[in-house]
Amino acid sequence: MMSFTESQKKVLEKLERQVQDLTELLSQKKDELEKKEKMLRELEEALNMERKAKEEALKRGEELVKQLSEKIKEIEEKNGAIRRLEEKINSLDARLKETSQLDEKRVEELRRRSEELKKFESIIAEKNMEIERLEEELEVAKKREEKLKGILKRDPRFRVFLILQESGKRSVNELSKSLGLTIVQLKTIISELKSMGLVELDGENVFAASM
């Protein structure tokens, strides 16, 4: 077995302590390296997460910008529709005012015509009453005329006039035979009626004069 001197032992002990120190230092460095590697991985993960978050935020931002643009376009379209609706409302309001003014004029015209109609109705009622009165008087006159005809039929002159009025133009001979009068009697009657403007002569024919 190899033996060492005291000085060699001291050197060996020193070397062993140095190796042990280096081993401990190496172990510490290894631990520190592992910690740093872990921190680096965590940092990379954090950076990746942050990058993903930024990408997602950017994507959401782009989507929001797109949605906002669509909303702005929709709002502009609605504003245009609202403006058109307001214009239509203003137009209808103006027409309504015109119509209201026309309606007022029409109401006034109808009121005036209604008053005139009432006046006309009153006048018509009075006229109807007058017509009824005249019809009654006419009926009475007709009855009197019938009675008078019954009386006058006995008068040869009236009989001659009545026949001529009802049958038109007749010859003297026809009248003489119809009435049973002589020619002389008939001519005397015709002469009287002619002087009264009731008959006219056309040669041997006689007819009732136009009244």
Side-chain angles (χ1 to χ4, degrees):
M1 183 175 180
M2 185 177 180
S3 61
F4 295 98
T5 62
E6 287 296 326
S7 60
Q8 289 177 336
K9 287 181 180 180
K10 289 180 180 179
V11 171
L12 285 172
E13 289 176 356
K14 185 177 180 180
L15 288 171
E16 287 176 354
R17 284 196 300 272
Q18 288 179 350
V19 169
Q20 186 177 359
D21 291 340
L22 288 172
T23 301
E24 290 177 356
L25 181 62
L26 181 62
S27 178
Q28 290 177 359
K29 293 295 182 181
K30 185 178 180 181
D31 291 338
E32 289 178 2
L33 180 62
E34 288 177 353
K35 288 180 181 179
K36 287 182 179 180
E37 288 177 348
K38 183 179 180 182
M39 289 176 63
L40 182 61
R41 286 194 301 271
E42 290 176 352
L43 181 60
E44 287 178 350
E45 290 177 358
L47 288 173
N48 288 331
M49 290 177 66
E50 185 178 357
R51 185 175 64 253
K52 288 181 180 179
K54 287 182 178 179
E55 289 176 354
E56 290 177 357
L58 181 61
K59 186 177 180 180
R60 286 198 302 271
E62 290 175 350
E63 290 178 355
L64 288 173
V65 170
K66 183 178 179 181
Q67 292 176 1
L68 183 60
S69 298
E70 292 176 353
K71 289 292 182 183
I72 291 172
K73 184 178 179 181
E74 184 179 350
I75 290 170
E76 288 177 350
E77 290 177 354
K78 288 184 177 180
N79 286 336
I82 290 171
R83 283 194 297 272
R84 289 192 295 273
L85 184 60
E86 287 176 347
E87 291 174 358
K88 187 178 290 185
I89 290 172
N90 292 333
S91 176
L92 289 173
D93 186 53
R95 289 173 61 185
L96 182 60
K97 289 180 180 178
E98 292 177 359
T99 304
S100 298
Q101 293 175 354
L102 289 174
D103 287 342
E104 290 177 0
K105 292 180 180 178
R106 287 175 182 170
V107 169
E108 184 63 29
E109 180 68 17
L110 288 174
R111 187 181 294 111
R112 185 182 63 79
R113 290 188 179 183
S114 177
E115 292 175 355
E116 291 179 354
L117 182 60
K118 288 180 181 179
K119 291 179 182 178
F120 285 133
E121 287 176 349
S122 177
I123 293 171
I124 290 171
E126 292 177 359
K127 293 294 182 183
N128 286 335
M129 291 176 64
E130 186 176 354
I131 289 170
E132 289 177 0
R133 182 180 60 79
L134 291 174
E135 286 177 346
E136 291 175 357
E137 292 179 358
L138 180 61
E139 187 65 26
V140 172
K142 285 181 179 179
K143 290 179 180 179
R144 287 179 181 174
E145 183 182 4
E146 291 298 325
K147 290 180 181 179
L148 185 59
K149 281 182 179 180
I151 295 170
L152 292 176
K153 279 181 180 179
R154 301 169 191 169
D155 188 336
R157 291 174 296 180
F158 183 76
R159 289 171 63 196
V160 172
F161 175 73
L162 188 61
I163 289 173
L164 292 174
Q165 192 177 44
E166 292 177 351
S167 62
K169 186 183 289 187
R170 301 287 291 275
S171 68
V172 175
N173 290 330
E174 287 176 341
L175 285 173
S176 175
K177 292 176 182 179
S178 297
L179 296 170
L181 297 172
T182 65
I183 298 296
V184 175
Q185 289 174 326
L186 182 58
K187 285 186 176 181
T188 301
I189 292 171
I190 290 172
S191 178
E192 291 177 359
L193 292 174
K194 187 175 184 301
S195 65
M196 296 168 65
L198 296 175
V199 299
E200 293 182 8
L201 289 169
D202 182 15
E204 289 297 318
N205 295 320
V206 61
F207 55 91
S210 300
M211 302 300 288

